[in-house]
Amino acid sequence: MNALKDAAFKVRSNAYAPYSGFQVGAAIKSEEDKIFVGVNVENAAYPEGTCAESGAIAAMIAAGHTRIKEAYVVADCPSPVPPCGGCRQKIAEFADQDVIVTLATVDGKEAKYSVAELLPGVFTPTHMDYVS
Ligand code: THU
């Protein structure tokens, strides 16, 4: 039994994706071992839509947890769903470089990447160190 995987699969059916028809479920485990979930939430004003990973991160932060220990993302696609660029940056804000993100398809294909692999050359707060 993999609680993180189960949570991502279960929440996916709650995705609000009437425009793309592409439902995504995300689950993240905080360093306190609590699981937070998110789904994509689209909008008739298309750019206002949000990704599943973004929702899960917002729930974690709202609960007062600040670090991701593990993440799992699932969608119905031919190969494990790759997070968008923006979500890679959002995950990197709250996860160490060696944290594992599992990407999956609904029929069970999985691919595992570290945060460093997902976003090489990530922009971090240290890049603003020269700002006085
Ligand atoms: N989407 C996510 O929620 N996460 C991803 O990792 C990839 C894309 C959503 C955004 C949009 O609602 C739909 O999938 C199609 O792009």
Side-chain angles (χ1 to χ4, degrees):
M1 176 72 92
N2 179 333
L4 197 65
K5 174 180 178 176
D6 290 349
F9 270 73
K10 186 167 175 222
V11 77
R12 181 180 160 270
S13 63
N14 293 337
Y16 178 75
Y19 307 106
S20 71
F22 190 72
Q23 295 187 300
V24 185
I28 56 179
K29 188 189 283 182
S30 68
E31 286 187 348
E32 293 84 352
D33 280 330
K34 184 156 175 9
I35 291 174
F36 298 93
V37 294
V39 293
N40 51 330
V41 182
E42 298 183 346
N43 194 282
Y46 290 2
E48 299 304 324
T50 52
C51 286
E53 298 89 328
S54 191
I57 289 170
M60 180 189 77
I61 294 299
H65 296 195
T66 57
R67 299 300 296 170
I68 298 171
K69 189 179 182 180
E70 205 182 333
Y72 197 105
V73 190
V74 62
D76 186 6
C77 45
S79 57
V81 57
C84 77
C87 284
R88 292 172 195 228
Q89 181 72 36
K90 287 176 188 174
I91 292 167
E93 180 77 14
F94 302 107
D96 292 344
Q97 292 279 289
D98 61 350
V99 161
I100 296 299
V101 180
T102 303
L103 311 176
T105 66
V106 291
D107 61 4
K109 293 190 198 87
E110 288 186 347
K112 292 181 188 291
Y113 296 95
S114 68
V115 169
E117 288 170 329
L118 282 179
L119 189 56
V122 59
F123 179 76
T124 68
T126 61
H127 295 102
M128 296 182 283
D129 278 352
Y130 73 92
V131 180
S132 54

